[in-house]
Amino acid sequence: MTSSRWLVPVLAVLFVPLWASGFIAGKIATGSTDVPAVLFWRFVIALVVMLAAVAVLRPGLPRGRSWLHLAVTALLLQVGQFTFVYSGLASGVPAGLSSLILGMAPLLVGLLTPLLLATRLGVGPVLGLLIGATGVYVVLADDLGAGLGGNLVFPVLGMLSLAAGTLYQKRFNDSTPVVTSVVVQMATSLVATLVAWPFLGADWLPRAPSGWAAVAFLGVVNSAGAFVLMFVLLRRRSTVFVSSLLNLVPATTALVAVPVLGEPLTVQAVLGLGIALVGMFVGLGRVPGLRGRRVVADAAVAAPSGQPDGDAVAPAAGGPGRRAGGA
């Protein structure tokens, strides 16, 4: 009972730096490796790691349309998001600025959740998402006028893919075993990359040791590790819970970029992290005055999984909600 109670907080603490590390490693990888090669090796390495996990855990296979839903999620959450993000990084968009733009996805996910997942949001979650978005903006506001021009469209498209993939994963894949979900998505993404490769004219291999190290990190830590954590958190909590955690990623990326990429530590990064933390606590109902108006989670839609969700659940068409445990 005690270990179960602490599982989600521990996973949440691990999730934020693992997700943020993808921007740092992605910036390093695209400095010496073509974008298609970064994607290819990321998916290959992640698939090998997850197949080893399958051999040990022996999870169940998807059924019926679950295969199609997993493939669609892969195209959105894996191929779409990272093709656009890495293209932006390769064209000169800073890692921190990419993280800032991707940090708008939580607000979009939170606002679309009531429409697409048959749930309703209280005052606390909406206010928390808005506060978190403010923190995201503060982190790197000065970089918005850096003259990057049309290259900013890449992280914007990546943000839209992340938001769409997060909602699709929660709506259609919540009952699929997490390991199975990641394996099918990585395999689908690898096939999609190989199909597109003849039209891209890219080199197959990284051109520097740092490129190999970065793609290995992306495959093992950021693909296999971070996405397993994401899917577990989506299953045990709501999309708003995961979105609140994603609000912390831009400031975390900016802080990690100081020792790794040599970027200076700014007041905006520290201030933005503080604001994002406030938004996360407000959105998750940790503020006493808003505790009674917490998010109504989307577990009702994912009922076949049988997994508990950490927020109150309300039927899509009236009826009293039920509470399934603390956040």
Side-chain angles (χ1 to χ4, degrees):
M1 186 71 174
T2 302
S3 60
S4 178
R5 178 181 179 183
W6 285 100
L7 177 61
V8 169
V10 169
L11 295 182
V13 169
L14 292 173
F15 174 72
V16 174
L18 287 186
W19 193 272
S21 68
F23 294 97
I24 304 297
K27 187 67 175 179
I28 296 172
T30 54
S32 60
T33 310
D34 291 337
V35 171
V38 175
L39 293 170
F40 172 78
W41 289 108
R42 174 190 179 115
F43 297 143
V44 167
I45 294 170
L47 182 59
V48 170
V49 171
M50 296 310 300
L51 285 175
V54 167
V56 174
L57 300 175
R58 297 185 180 278
L61 294 175
R63 297 179 180 179
R65 294 184 179 179
S66 295
W67 290 98
L68 176 61
H69 291 317
L70 288 169
V72 172
T73 304
L75 295 177
L76 292 171
L77 202 56
Q78 306 291 342
V79 179
Q81 177 189 183
F82 293 113
T83 296
F84 293 129
V85 170
Y86 294 158
S87 296
L89 293 172
S91 64
V93 179
L97 183 54
S98 295
S99 178
L100 168 67
I101 296 173
L102 269 289
M104 293 294 103
L107 179 61
L108 185 59
V109 168
L111 295 179
L112 290 178
T113 290
L115 299 177
L116 301 179
L117 297 182
T119 67
R120 54 186 174 83
L121 294 179
V123 174
V126 174
L127 182 59
L129 288 167
L130 292 175
I131 294 174
T134 301
V136 166
Y137 178 82
V138 169
V139 173
L140 293 168
D142 288 346
D143 290 334
L144 291 176
L148 294 170
N151 292 333
L152 290 178
V153 72
F154 291 120
V156 169
L157 291 174
M159 180 270 291
L160 294 175
S161 294
L162 170 59
T166 301
L167 290 165
Y168 201 93
Q169 169 69 23
K170 179 65 179 179
R171 176 63 179 86
F172 293 106
N173 302 324
D174 214 39
S175 61
T176 304
V178 171
V179 173
T180 302
S181 182
V182 177
V183 166
V184 175
Q185 290 185 32
M186 292 304 164
T188 302
S189 302
L190 179 58
V191 170
T193 303
L194 290 174
V195 169
W197 201 294
F199 307 98
L200 303 176
D203 292 334
W204 284 94
L205 302 176
R207 292 182 289 272
S210 60
W212 279 112
V215 295
F217 184 92
L218 289 170
V220 175
V221 177
N222 196 247
S223 283
F227 276 95
V228 165
L229 290 182
M230 180 183 186
F231 295 162
V232 170
L233 289 170
L234 281 172
R235 176 166 298 186
R236 291 179 173 270
R237 292 294 185 264
S238 67
T239 53
V240 175
F241 182 94
V242 176
S243 295
S244 297
L245 296 177
L246 289 173
N247 276 330
L248 301 177
V249 169
T252 304
T253 302
L255 294 174
V256 175
V258 175
V260 178
L261 299 179
E263 298 180 0
L265 179 63
T266 64
V267 175
Q268 287 99 321
V270 177
L271 180 60
L273 179 58
I275 295 174
L277 278 169
V278 172
M280 183 185 69
F281 277 90
V282 171
L284 297 180
R286 299 302 187 184
V287 178
L290 296 174
R291 188 168 296 169
R293 297 184 175 185
R294 293 171 58 194
V295 64
V296 176
D298 29 272
V301 178
S305 68
Q307 296 294 332
D309 200 292
D311 304 299
V313 178
R322 63 175 177 87
R323 190 171 292 277

